[in-house]
């Protein structure tokens, strides 16, 4: 009997199966979808780090210490990022298995909701620290559920220590993620990701759409120019063919005229003799 190398052990056999999908979220937990999925955060971060073969950026995935872990007590962060891993292994096992990847995820983030806010602050820090996750961040649109609008912890030894969060002149908040080498910002109730090298936010959907539209416009203009050049070349070729045809007609007319002159000269010569 063949077995797989991942998933919790079945109740009646030793066959290992992929982890089940996490249970559906409570309606009040959809804030994570609004702040992450709808804003395209996983896609944009993947674009920023530009190494999808070894970088995992995902949500709604169990983190399990071992392939035989039961799902009870396992955490499913709103956003998880891991570098130098095998994303396909996660897809096969439907979970991030630490022993399989050889390391814990590098970064997890939770978005506050009424039903999970207290758990995010009270219970999850110890759970994520026990898994060895280097950074644990929390984002709260209003600050109502976490008690802070933006917070981050960095693992020192076996405990988390708070990451400094500073207030910006515009009223926003920001903290620096060492593992991502990005600033996380709370700006007017939205989560933003800023690159310290450029001083700007990483690509957002609006900017990506603008670039796509500009590229499409440039492509259409290039295609139009190419078509105009093709039409111009065709017109030039047709004009050249017409000119050659006129030249040929003129040559034929000249030959015919010369032939007529020779014939007349021949007739005149016959009359004289």
């Amino acid at each position: 009997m063949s077995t797989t190398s991942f998933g919790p052990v079945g109740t009646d056999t030793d066959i290992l199966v992929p982890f089940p999908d996490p249970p559906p979220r409570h309606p009040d937990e959809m804030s994570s979808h609004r702040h992450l999925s709808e804003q395209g955060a996983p896609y944009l971060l993947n674009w920023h780090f530009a190494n999808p073969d070894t970088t995992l950026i995902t949500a709604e995935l169990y983190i399990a210490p071992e392939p035989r872990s039961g799902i009870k007590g396992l955490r499913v962060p709103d956003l998880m990022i891991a570098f130098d891993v095998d994303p396909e292994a996660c897809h096969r096992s439907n979970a991030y298995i630490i022993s399989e990847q050889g390391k814990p995820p590098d970064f997890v983030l939770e978005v506050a909701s009424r039903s999970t806010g207290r758990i995010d602050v009270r219970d999850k820090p110890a759970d994520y620290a026990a898994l060895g996750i280097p950074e644990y961040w929390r984002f709260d649109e209003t600050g109502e559920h976490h008690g802070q609008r933006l917070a981050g912890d960095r693992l020192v030894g076996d405990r988390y220590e708070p990451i400094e969060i500073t207030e910006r002149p515009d009223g926003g908040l920001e903290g620096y993620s060492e593992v991502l080498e990005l600033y996380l910002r709370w700006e007017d109730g939205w989560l933003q990701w800023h690159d310290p090298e450029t001083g700007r936010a990483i690509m957002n959907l609006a900017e990506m759409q603008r670039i796509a539209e500009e590229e499409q416009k440039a492509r259409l203009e290039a295609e139009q120019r190419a078509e105009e050049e093709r039409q111009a070349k065709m017109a030039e070729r047709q004009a050249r063919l017409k000119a050659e045809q006129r030249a040929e007609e003129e040559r034929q007319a000249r030959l015919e005229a010369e032939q007529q002159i020779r014939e007349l000269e021949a007739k005149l010569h016959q009359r004289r003799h």
Side-chain angles (χ1 to χ4, degrees):
M1 181 181 297
S2 62
T3 63
T4 62
S5 60
F6 47 84
V9 179
T11 54
D12 300 324
T13 71
D14 288 336
I15 298 175
L16 299 179
V17 296
F19 280 78
D21 291 333
R25 287 186 174 272
H26 190 277
D28 78 347
E29 296 182 59
M30 294 308 292
S31 56
S32 64
H33 179 77
R34 187 161 66 93
H35 286 284
L36 296 175
S37 299
E38 288 184 5
Q39 300 304 310
Y43 178 79
L44 296 170
L45 288 165
N46 253 318
W47 180 89
H48 173 77
F49 292 117
N51 201 353
D53 292 338
T54 59
T55 299
L56 176 72
I57 302 175
T58 189
E60 307 301 317
L61 202 65
Y62 283 114
I63 302 176
E66 301 287 343
R68 295 174 178 267
S69 303
I71 63 173
K72 185 177 180 180
L74 296 184
R75 294 301 183 189
V76 183
D78 291 326
L79 182 66
M80 171 170 50
I81 300 176
F83 301 108
D84 301 318
V85 296
D86 179 7
E88 286 301 319
C90 293
H91 300 322
R92 291 193 301 269
S93 57
N94 202 32
Y96 186 100
I97 301 174
I98 294 175
S99 64
E100 183 178 65
Q101 298 289 352
K103 54 171 286 189
D106 296 280
F107 174 101
V108 294
L109 178 139
E110 300 286 5
V111 177
S113 68
R114 187 177 302 279
S115 61
T116 65
R118 177 178 292 185
I119 298 171
D120 292 345
V121 175
R122 182 191 62 192
D123 300 335
K124 291 182 181 178
D127 295 339
Y128 288 140
L131 292 172
I133 296 171
E135 287 187 3
Y136 169 42
W137 286 79
R138 296 170 295 285
F139 172 82
D140 187 339
E141 179 180 347
T142 64
E144 175 185 358
H145 306 303
H146 285 166
Q148 296 172 287
R149 290 173 292 179
L150 181 67
D153 293 326
R154 185 171 293 118
L155 193 64
V156 178
D158 59 356
R159 294 177 179 273
Y160 280 129
E161 292 187 359
I163 294 171
E164 181 182 10
I165 305 296
T166 59
E167 185 170 357
R168 295 174 48 78
D170 59 8
L173 302 172
E174 75 173 7
Y176 182 68
S177 167
E178 290 183 353
V179 297
L180 301 185
E181 297 182 350
L182 293 174
Y183 281 102
L184 276 70
R185 289 186 184 176
W186 181 100
E187 292 184 352
D188 297 324
W190 293 98
L191 177 62
Q192 305 290 341
W193 313 80
H194 283 251
D195 187 344
E197 290 189 3
T198 64
R200 300 192 301 269
I202 67 171
M203 189 77 72
N204 56 44
L205 290 178
E207 187 175 1
M208 188 166 285
Q209 182 177 5
R210 178 185 62 79
I211 291 175
E213 289 173 351
E214 289 179 353
E215 289 178 347
Q216 183 181 24
K217 181 181 178 181
R219 185 170 61 252
L220 291 174
E221 289 176 350
E223 291 174 355
Q224 183 177 355
R225 286 194 300 271
E227 177 63 18
E228 290 172 352
E229 290 175 358
R230 189 182 71 83
Q231 294 289 348
K233 287 180 180 179
M234 286 182 61
E236 182 182 352
R237 181 172 178 272
Q238 289 175 352
R240 187 174 63 253
L241 290 174
K242 287 181 179 179
E244 291 173 353
Q245 183 178 1
R246 285 196 301 270
E248 178 62 19
E249 290 172 351
E250 290 173 357
R251 189 180 72 83
Q252 291 294 336
R254 187 172 62 254
L255 291 174
E256 290 176 0
E258 291 173 351
Q259 179 64 27
Q260 289 175 357
I261 291 171
R262 285 194 294 272
E263 290 175 354
L264 288 173
E265 289 177 343
K267 288 178 179 180
L268 289 173
H269 180 74
Q270 289 176 355
R271 287 178 181 178
R272 289 175 185 168
H273 298 285

